[in-house]
Each structure stands twice: as C-alpha cells, then as structure tokens.
Amino acid sequence: MADPIDTREHLHELLKEFDTAMMITCGSDNVIHARPMAVAELMSDGTAWFVADIHSPKVAQIQADPTVTLTFQSSRQFASVHGTATRAGVIVMPNTNNHQTL
C-alpha cells in the first residue's frame, strides 16, 4: 500500500498542472450539478481554493450538502477527487467598500 504522504505529493504534482476543474455538487432537488471552476490555488495538502459569488447556487448547494467531486482533465491525463467543501476566506468587491466574509 502506498504511503499517504507519497500519495498526496503525487496528487499535488498531478493537479498543479490544471487551471480548471469541474465542481460537482448535489442540489436540494437531488439533481447533480457540474460547472467549470477556475482553480485559484492548490495547496500541497490537497486543498483546492476556488472563488465564487456568495449568492450563487453552488454556494447554497455546498452549504446544504458539502460533499463535492472535482474532476480535472487535459488531453493527456485526468484526476477525480472526492471530498468536503467549506466556505472560507474574504471576498473584496472591486471598486467598493463592500467586504463579505465567507
């Protein structure tokens, strides 16, 4: 069995090449929703950061059910990661004094 640290390192090395992921969530209607998301940052521990409007349906879906799947694909490779999403960080709206804490 592979060492978990080696597995995480391998996954990070693979995922850092991607700049877009498909984020898959389940809505309150029990329908699967997938949408492309730009990867804002990928941490070495496997945490992926994305930016979203606080009022978007995807944020409401994550609040209701934080289970998500992320898929990454290029012409040569792909990866699928399943985990739990959280809301974190601060949004600063451009050209305004409106700050929203997530």
Side-chain angles (χ1 to χ4, degrees):
M1 180 176 209
D3 181 344
I5 293 172
D6 291 342
T7 302
R8 272 188 252 133
E9 288 174 5
H10 174 74
L11 182 62
H12 182 258
E13 287 299 312
L14 176 67
L15 296 183
K16 73 181 187 179
E17 301 301 320
F18 297 99
D19 57 4
T20 305
M22 291 296 289
M23 179 182 287
I24 304 160
T25 59
C26 187
S28 60
D29 53 1
N30 288 325
V31 173
I32 301 298
H33 299 272
R35 79 282 290 156
M37 299 285 295
V39 178
E41 187 171 355
L42 181 66
M43 309 300 287
S44 61
D45 68 357
T47 301
W49 290 90
F50 302 92
V51 177
D53 184 321
I54 191 88
H55 302 291
S56 69
K58 68 184 135 285
V59 172
Q61 290 165 1
I62 288 168
Q63 285 178 296
D65 180 357
T67 304
V68 299
T69 299
L70 301 174
T71 62
F72 303 81
Q73 182 176 340
S74 71
S75 61
R76 294 188 202 211
Q77 56 191 358
F78 74 93
S80 178
V81 181
H82 183 78
T84 303
T86 60
R87 291 180 2 166
V90 175
I91 295 175
V92 178
M93 305 302 286
N95 302 319
T96 70
N97 292 324
N98 185 9
H99 300 265
Q100 296 179 336
T101 301
L102 298 177

